[in-house]
Amino acid sequence: MDRPANIPPSGHPAVETYLAGGYDGVVGMSSRFAAAICARLLRLQTEEGVKGPIAEIGAFEGRFFITLAHALEPDEIALALDIFEWPDPGVEQRFEANCARHGIGPERRRTIKGDAGAMAPKDLLAHAAGARLRFIHIDGEHSRTALWKDLALATACLAEGGLIVLDDMLHPGYPTLMVAVQAYLEANPEIVPLCVIDRETIVGATKFVLCQRAWFERYQSRLLEIYKDWIWPLGADFEPHWCLVLSQDTRLAEII
Ligand SMILES: C[S@@+](CC[C@H](N)C(=O)[O-])C[C@H]1O[C@@H](n2cnc3c(N)ncnc32)[C@H](O)[C@@H]1O
């Protein structure tokens, strides 16, 4: 099955196969556009020598998690953290079944049933034999308080060159999440937005990708090459920091 023209290359044959034939069959809330970009970001990290485990807070039925796991190197593992109670306790079994069906065996992942907000960094890292995480997707409870805790956990566990990806940014249903993000960026000046991944639909919402300030230029220069056809020209103004906006629609408003 061919990749649609509105989805950029992911950089991984296994991810391409999953995105083309499996992704829409797994219940979930992230866009294919964002999944392809995040897989490519993992490849970019590999190219830049950044290695290690990854994690998703809010793995749900595994739609996005499976993409990320397929984008790992052979010796890396993915941690799936969720309370696995919503919308019913059967969600954990559905997560396990979806991973098995789409080729992510137990040796490539760890399932962690628990409340991210109550987890200490050392407890999360213990699931990866103490190795710091190179990529963390935060898509758990959508309140300001919970996002603040998830960001603190992610920051404490982040590897050198690591990326933190935040889901449901600028979503009309969760307008206050941006307040937590802004406060977090002000309190953690060593972390900056690397890019905004624009929404595909109201369910496949916008994601922010954050990186360490020391890695910003290096990563951004690569993104400018990789995504030259997907960059919305005006960029995102985080006052005073600017970053790229990656979008399926790169038009500007027509003025006269
Ligand atoms: C929007 S869904 C995640 C969708 C998934 N990431 C995807 O892209 O398909 C949010 C998930 O966060 C989980 N969650 C909510 N609060 C949590 C918490 N405190 N700790 C861990 N997971 C939590 C829910 O159980 C739910 O599965």
Side-chain angles (χ1 to χ4, degrees):
M1 212 179 297
D2 287 341
R3 177 167 24 84
N6 63 348
I7 304 294
S10 68
H12 305 262
V15 172
E16 294 291 320
T17 302
Y18 172 61
L19 292 181
Y23 192 79
D24 288 339
V26 178
V27 180
M29 292 90 172
S30 291
S31 74
R32 252 206 296 177
F33 180 61
I37 290 174
C38 287
R40 185 65 187 86
L41 288 171
L42 284 162
R43 168 68 73 224
L44 171 56
Q45 287 185 308
T46 301
E47 290 162 357
E48 294 293 329
V50 178
K51 302 177 172 59
I54 66 161
E56 181 174 37
I57 298 175
F60 190 51
E61 299 210 7
R63 172 189 273 199
F64 200 72
F65 178 84
I66 293 167
T67 313
L68 299 178
H70 272 306
L72 293 180
E73 297 302 301
D75 54 345
E76 296 173 331
I77 61 163
L79 311 181
L81 173 56
D82 204 297
I83 51 175
F84 289 119
E85 293 290 344
W86 177 84
D88 59 74
V91 66
E92 185 173 0
Q93 282 173 323
R94 295 194 292 278
F95 168 79
E96 297 290 340
N98 285 331
C99 287
R101 184 175 308 123
H102 294 291
I104 306 299
E107 73 289 354
R108 302 174 68 184
R109 60 187 171 85
R110 304 284 180 273
T111 304
I112 308 164
K113 182 176 167 64
D115 174 2
M119 187 161 285
K122 68 174 175 31
D123 296 332
L124 181 57
L125 295 178
H127 292 279
R132 287 182 162 271
L133 307 175
R134 67 156 160 139
F135 188 105
I136 304 161
H137 182 226
I138 298 182
D139 192 11
E141 185 188 326
H142 286 16
S143 69
R144 266 185 288 175
T145 307
L147 178 56
W148 184 265
K149 287 182 188 169
D150 291 349
L151 275 164
L153 178 64
T155 309
C157 294
L158 198 64
E160 181 64 27
L163 299 172
I164 298 173
V165 179
L166 307 177
D167 192 37
D168 287 325
M169 296 293 103
L170 312 173
H171 189 298
Y174 311 106
T176 65
L177 292 186
M178 188 62 220
V179 178
V181 173
Q182 194 62 29
Y184 166 82
L185 292 173
E186 283 168 13
N188 295 270
E190 77 285 5
I191 305 284
V192 293
L194 171 63
C195 63
V196 172
I197 305 173
D198 193 18
R199 63 180 262 183
E200 204 172 72
T201 63
I202 196 164
V203 176
T206 299
K207 294 187 196 291
F208 289 173
V209 181
L210 312 180
C211 71
Q212 289 140 346
R213 189 178 289 274
W215 285 75
F216 175 77
E217 291 296 342
R218 190 184 327 187
Y219 281 147
Q220 179 174 259
S221 65
R222 295 295 316 282
L223 294 184
L224 282 163
E225 296 161 21
I226 296 166
Y227 290 112
K228 59 181 178 346
D229 297 331
W230 305 86
I231 294 170
W232 185 67
L234 298 186
D237 181 2
F238 279 87
E239 296 185 4
H241 178 83
W242 286 80
C243 75
L244 297 176
V245 175
L246 308 182
S247 180
Q248 292 174 320
D249 181 355
T250 57
R251 291 171 300 173
L252 290 175
E254 288 178 26
I255 305 168
I256 318 271

